[in-house]
Amino acid sequence: MATCPRGCAPAVRLCQKLNRLKTLDGDMMATSLKRCLSTLDLTLMGVGGMVGSGLYVLTGTVAKDMAGPAVIISFIFAGIASLLAAFCYAEFGASIPKTGSAYMFTYVSVGELWAFLIGWNVILENMIGGAAVARAWSGYLDSIFNHAIQNFTETHIMQWHVPFLAHYPDLLAAGILIVASVFISFGVQVSSYLNHIFSSISMGVIVFILVFGFVLAEPANWSQEQGGFAPFGLSGILAGSATCFYAFVGFDVIASSSEEAKNPQKAVPIATAISLGLAATAYILVSTVLTLMVPWRTLDPNSALADAFFRRGYSWAGIIVAVGSICAMNTVLLCNLFSLPRIVYAMAEDGLFFSIFARVNPLTKVPVNAILVFGILMAAMALMFDLEALVQFLSIGTLLAYTFVAASVIVLRFQPEKTTSKDTTSTSPNPNAASSPAPLESQAISEDTDEPKQYESLSDKIQLVDSQVTRERRGVGQLKACWEPYLDRLVGDCEPGEVVAFCVTGLIVSSVSLCVVLKFGNDELQLPVWSFVMLLVIFSLALIISLALIWVHEPRKNSKTFQVPLVPLTPGVSILINIFLMMKLSLLTWIRFTVWIAIGLLVYFGYGIWHSKEGKRELQPKDMAARYVVLPSGSLVETVQSVQPDGQVDTSGHLISSASIPAAEECAEKR
């Protein structure tokens, strides 16, 4: 076996650190937080996280500037893509009921650096989401008073004329965020009660909008005289879908809350499905009503629904809608302020972020430091940035998190289960390598008795060993039996799960390449037709081959918790859609995203990599492993010989070398 030159050893160790996986404890339900949330609580959190400023503000913005009445199709596309991502979140939230959402899911399946970057982006996503909602909340309240708050601020306090910043400091938005942070710090039950109240009012107002709005609907507003149904074409619909993703980002609050759910295995999938279905239905119907009530060109992006009722002469209905919108946006604020500190807490608990945020208040059982600090930072963002810049920046972080969660589902589904410290310790030097006890080893460990095990005959024992070997060859992450005659020479020598991990990388690369050709091939790159078609065929084949190679391997089967259907097709399609929608975002959004990633890398390499608990775990001494030798002596007897790594001591204090193991086996044979 070729060895790495001495000079590249530090680089190899660095790569191992960057890609080490999180080790989960045996008891997944153990937590320092309080498990008190029911399925109804999680469902209302999901609805509250999705039905807010996206319904009352974003609908009008996308309809007027991007898609026209075809905003309905934009929401359908965004809803389908979100459903695929929601499947992945539901599987992880049910099987790994730990706080941290996409960060935690990536950490247990892909690696530490990628998990940190995803967590870093989810932090920004929640900060921007809360700031955007607070800004929309302020704008809606201001519209009730004929923009008196904005005029007073610009006249008597100050106004800015700086690129990328709002025209005036929104003191009202910053104030509501600080007040909401204080309420959130009182505990999860207080947050849940407030969310129930605001969600109930919001859903009642939505029903009112739909009933009264369809009464006032005028089909002529979709006619060609008003610009038609899709005035910006397919490109506008897809661009609107990328922005409409903002409307559905709230469902991940359910996965973030799984560590505080009473029964996460059942509650998380059910709450995710119901809340996403209700939110998608509300968005599609409300956007239909809005564009039928008034011409799409005349919509007010800041308060589209309330303004539509005002312009139709029903000012009292406009006030009801404004009140309902404020209640709905309060639920989104609560959800953002609820999930953000828990993601920060999860990263700090793992040592990748500053330890001060890992402290949980002993009375309220919530991370108060994270709530207050990031609530203030969120208030500062709402004070300075306008809504449009915040919303565009939000979508890219969400799509990236969805992409990594979908990839994590594939990797974890075809990855053999890892043994924890409570079961047995692997002596493999690779921290990412999956290890499992040998068949005899697992049998001996599983039985907690000192009496020797008896077998009927030696042939029975041989038959048992043969069945174990056969089952091991068809283990998780290995080729299915029906494909071994065709592909065994190609991938048969690879470790379980290794081919799948490589194919997931190929799936992402081919998806990015395919989306780049689709988005920039005709316009920016100006490729000839033959070249454009050839690249599409090549990258499409690469994507299909990656999915096919993943499919021919044995998946992990688990009937106890929810699993994503049609793996790897479902998460593969989710990856492709998410990447394509990322390509539809503006260049300025990508520049901001790159700057934020660079700041995150400074934080990780300056603090996280040195304080990682997984890194400290690797430095701890390994436990003793054991080897089991089965020898026939008239009747079948099982003899156990302990094995220690070189230079370790046994329980009697004597230094034992692994070189003594053959001698011990030879001695056993003489017996």
Side-chain angles (χ1 to χ4, degrees):
M1 179 178 176
T3 58
C4 178
R6 184 177 302 176
C8 70
V12 172
R13 288 196 296 269
L14 177 61
C15 290
Q16 290 177 345
K17 289 181 179 180
L18 299 182
N19 292 284
R20 56 195 171 200
L21 305 180
K22 179 176 176 61
T23 303
L24 295 173
D25 296 329
D27 187 4
M28 298 292 289
M29 297 295 288
T31 177
S32 59
L33 303 176
K34 186 178 181 180
R35 289 195 179 274
C36 59
L37 298 177
S38 64
T39 304
L40 178 62
D41 296 329
L42 293 178
T43 302
L44 290 178
M45 278 190 176
V47 173
M50 288 183 278
V51 180
S53 57
L55 185 73
Y56 293 94
V57 178
L58 193 62
T59 304
T61 302
V62 175
K64 183 175 182 179
D65 300 332
M66 297 182 182
V71 63
I72 301 168
I73 302 178
S74 295
F75 275 117
I76 292 175
F77 284 171
I80 293 173
S82 296
L83 178 63
L84 299 177
F87 278 147
C88 302
Y89 273 82
E91 174 172 332
F92 272 113
S95 59
I96 306 175
K98 296 292 184 181
T99 190
S101 189
Y103 156 77
M104 179 65 65
F105 307 154
T106 308
Y107 203 174
V108 300
S109 56
V110 179
E112 183 173 287
L113 175 62
W114 309 106
F116 177 86
L117 293 178
I118 291 299
W120 186 249
N121 277 286
V122 171
I123 289 175
L124 181 65
E125 168 196 322
N126 281 273
M127 289 178 62
I128 292 177
V133 172
R135 195 90 192 187
W137 185 96
S138 172
Y140 244 89
L141 186 64
D142 197 17
S143 67
I144 297 177
F145 300 102
N146 198 22
H147 303 289
I149 300 174
Q150 176 182 349
N151 296 332
F152 178 83
T153 304
E154 291 180 345
T155 304
H156 297 90
I157 300 178
M158 64 183 303
Q159 56 179 314
W160 296 321
H161 297 285
V162 181
F164 313 123
L165 295 182
H167 297 298
Y168 68 98
D170 198 334
L171 299 175
L172 183 60
I176 188 60
L177 279 169
I178 294 175
V179 172
S181 300
V182 173
F183 276 105
I184 291 291
S185 64
F186 288 152
V188 62
Q189 287 182 321
V190 174
S191 306
S192 180
Y193 291 151
L194 290 174
N195 184 69
H196 285 192
I197 295 171
F198 290 131
S199 295
S200 300
I201 298 174
S202 175
M203 286 188 287
V205 172
I206 290 173
V207 172
F208 168 79
I209 292 171
L210 295 178
V211 173
F212 197 34
F214 275 115
V215 172
L216 300 177
E218 295 181 358
N221 290 323
W222 285 6
S223 63
Q224 290 298 326
E225 289 76 10
Q226 298 293 341
F229 179 75
F232 298 95
L234 180 61
S235 177
I237 292 173
L238 295 177
S241 297
T243 305
C244 287
F245 246 79
Y246 167 70
F248 297 101
V249 299
F251 73 79
D252 61 353
V253 71
I254 299 174
S256 299
S257 310
S258 59
E259 192 166 341
E260 292 162 282
K262 295 177 183 177
N263 186 8
Q265 286 77 16
K266 292 184 178 179
V268 170
I270 294 174
T272 302
I274 294 176
S275 61
L276 189 61
L278 290 175
T281 303
Y283 277 111
I284 294 170
L285 292 178
V286 168
S287 58
T288 302
V289 166
L290 178 63
T291 53
L292 285 174
M293 284 178 61
V294 294
W296 60 270
R297 287 195 183 97
T298 63
L299 291 173
D300 182 2
N302 293 322
S303 55
L305 277 171
D307 183 68
F309 281 102
F310 275 115
R311 289 171 51 201
R312 291 299 299 270
Y314 298 94
S315 57
W316 57 271
I319 294 175
I320 292 176
V321 172
V323 171
S325 69
I326 291 174
C327 291
M329 286 184 268
N330 282 338
T331 63
V332 181
L333 272 180
L334 291 173
C335 291
N336 277 279
L337 287 169
F338 181 88
S339 59
L340 172 59
R342 283 151 180 81
I343 295 168
V344 174
Y345 161 79
M347 297 177 67
E349 182 72 13
D350 292 332
L352 302 185
F353 208 50
F354 305 111
S355 59
I356 189 174
F357 299 124
R359 298 175 186 173
V360 176
N361 187 282
L363 296 178
T364 60
K365 299 293 184 181
V366 294
V368 175
N369 292 339
I371 292 173
L372 296 180
V373 170
F374 282 88
I376 293 173
L377 291 175
M378 200 182 293
M381 294 184 69
L383 189 72
M384 295 184 295
F385 295 102
D386 62 1
L387 181 63
E388 182 179 358
L390 291 171
V391 168
Q392 285 189 359
F393 198 13
L394 172 67
S395 296
I396 190 170
T398 304
L399 291 168
L400 184 68
Y402 288 176
T403 301
F404 267 85
V405 170
S408 299
V409 166
I410 301 176
V411 172
L412 206 61
R413 181 69 67 88
F414 293 89
Q415 188 179 61
E417 291 191 25
K418 295 176 176 58
T419 56
T420 62
S421 57
K422 294 184 178 182
D423 300 327
T424 182
T425 303
S426 171
T427 57
S428 172
N430 183 8
N432 293 338
S435 60
S436 59
L440 297 177
E441 212 174 294
S442 62
Q443 184 181 4
I445 291 175
S446 63
E447 299 194 13
D448 190 12
T449 177
D450 295 332
E451 297 182 3
K453 291 174 283 297
Q454 300 293 330
Y455 299 93
E456 294 293 334
S457 65
L458 181 60
S459 61
D460 291 341
K461 182 62 180 180
I462 293 174
Q463 185 178 1
L464 174 64
V465 173
D466 286 342
S467 64
Q468 292 279 8
V469 172
T470 302
R471 207 159 43 238
E472 183 183 1
R473 189 165 60 246
R474 302 292 186 270
V476 175
Q478 295 180 332
L479 272 178
K480 294 179 180 178
C482 59
W483 292 100
E484 279 195 358
Y486 311 101
L487 299 174
D488 187 61
R489 290 185 178 181
L490 180 64
V491 297
D493 295 333
C494 298
E495 293 293 326
E498 185 178 357
V499 176
V500 172
F502 178 79
C503 289
V504 169
T505 304
L507 174 64
I508 295 176
V509 172
S510 58
S511 298
V512 171
S513 303
L514 181 62
C515 293
V516 167
V517 173
L518 286 172
K519 177 65 173 66
F520 305 107
N522 287 328
D523 298 330
E524 286 81 356
L525 299 179
Q526 295 182 349
L527 295 174
V529 176
W530 67 268
S531 176
F532 179 78
V533 174
M534 183 184 68
L535 289 176
L536 286 182
V537 171
I538 291 174
F539 294 133
S540 298
L541 285 176
L543 190 149
I544 294 172
I545 291 172
S546 298
L547 289 174
L549 284 176
I550 296 171
W551 178 73
V552 299
H553 287 78
E554 289 286 352
R556 182 186 302 180
K557 301 185 185 299
N558 181 11
S559 59
K560 295 181 180 179
T561 60
F562 172 80
Q563 285 195 312
V564 178
L566 300 177
V567 173
L569 181 61
T570 300
V573 173
S574 178
I575 290 172
L576 181 63
I577 293 175
N578 296 335
I579 292 175
F580 181 75
L581 292 178
M582 290 172 71
M583 297 296 172
K584 300 294 290 185
L585 298 174
S586 65
L587 177 62
L588 184 58
T589 300
W590 280 96
I591 294 174
R592 294 169 179 167
F593 171 74
T594 304
V595 172
W596 181 250
I597 287 290
I599 296 173
L601 290 174
L602 291 176
V603 174
Y604 175 74
F605 286 105
Y607 181 89
I609 195 172
W610 308 105
H611 296 82
S612 170
K613 288 189 177 180
E614 288 302 317
K616 295 178 181 178
R617 192 193 302 268
E618 292 174 359
L619 298 177
Q620 294 176 354
K622 304 293 183 183
D623 296 337
M624 290 188 301
R627 175 174 295 178
Y628 303 92
V629 182
V630 181
L631 298 172
S633 58
S635 62
L636 203 64
V637 180
E638 190 172 77
T639 305
V640 178
Q641 173 67 45
S642 298
V643 179
Q644 286 85 7
D646 292 342
Q648 289 194 5
V649 295
D650 63 1
T651 55
S652 61
H654 296 91
L655 186 66
I656 294 180
S657 172
S658 59
S660 64
I661 296 171
E665 294 179 353
E666 183 180 355
C667 179
E669 290 176 358
K670 292 180 179 179
R671 291 176 55 193

